[in-house]
Amino acid sequence: MTVYESDLPGVGKKHEVELGDGSRLVIVTHNTGKREVFRRASADSDSEKLFELTDKLARQVGTLLEGAYFQPVQTETIETLLGDNTLIEWVEVGADSDIAGKTLGESDLRQATGASVIAIERGDEVITSPGGDAMVEAGDTLVVIGPKTACRDFVALVKGT
């Protein structure tokens, strides 16, 4: 997949995404936050406007598209890229993980990796902004934020890879 980015002075930015059939999806992000979505049948054709979204609605739809609420295919990891180098990643704690049965403080993960746990998912319960006294249990999913390398180190420590 190739993505082309261009500045639109006084308007915002335009991103064109090459689709598998030779067409392109064109997203214009206005400085106001409004998004306009177009489709181009080919690189040389005119764009046809598909729809327009407010900033808030575009962000909500974006989280749905990235799979933040539902992952239709079971994957090893779920990650969301923020900017060029920051990830939000979901890491499942296995029964044999060294941190299962320890508090976040005892596990020393932030100091060891540079990544921070921003939530713990335990079944239907979500513990947001957990403190150092939050217990980590086997089967928990830790939601982590940090630089890419810190998140990779975090996964390696938690999963023992």
Side-chain angles (χ1 to χ4, degrees):
M1 172 182 78
T2 304
V3 178
Y4 303 94
E5 179 181 305
S6 56
D7 289 323
L8 299 174
V11 176
K13 284 212 181 266
K14 176 175 74 169
H15 292 90
E16 292 192 41
V17 181
E18 285 184 349
L19 304 176
D21 63 358
S23 65
R24 293 183 180 194
L25 188 65
V26 181
I27 302 145
V28 176
T29 305
H30 293 255
N31 292 332
T32 62
K34 175 177 81 172
R35 306 325 192 268
E36 293 178 293
V37 180
F38 301 83
R39 183 181 178 279
R40 292 175 62 187
S42 70
D44 300 323
S45 64
D46 290 334
S47 297
E48 173 190 344
K49 187 173 183 177
L50 299 175
F51 55 88
E52 185 176 304
L53 300 169
T54 64
D55 182 57
K56 182 178 179 183
L57 185 56
R59 291 174 189 277
Q60 291 171 330
V61 169
T63 60
L64 292 172
L65 290 173
E66 77 176 347
Y69 292 101
F70 173 71
Q71 288 290 312
V73 178
Q74 185 64 33
T75 60
E76 286 294 314
T77 61
I78 306 166
E79 64 180 37
T80 301
L81 186 63
L82 301 173
D84 289 337
N85 190 40
T86 302
L87 289 178
I88 296 179
E89 196 154 13
W90 286 252
V91 183
E92 187 173 341
V93 179
D96 59 344
S97 175
D98 290 341
I99 68 164
K102 294 182 180 177
T103 66
L104 285 176
E106 291 169 336
S107 70
D108 207 29
L109 288 167
R110 183 183 306 148
Q111 291 75 18
T113 66
S116 299
V117 176
I118 57 174
I120 299 172
E121 295 178 336
R122 183 173 294 142
D124 291 336
E125 179 186 10
V126 177
I127 303 163
T128 57
S129 302
D133 60 342
M135 185 62 69
V136 178
E137 299 175 4
D140 285 352
T141 298
L142 305 179
V143 184
V144 181
I145 189 168
K148 286 180 187 179
T149 55
C151 286
R152 299 296 181 254
D153 293 345
F154 187 96
V155 170
L157 276 174
V158 170
K159 292 192 177 253
T161 58

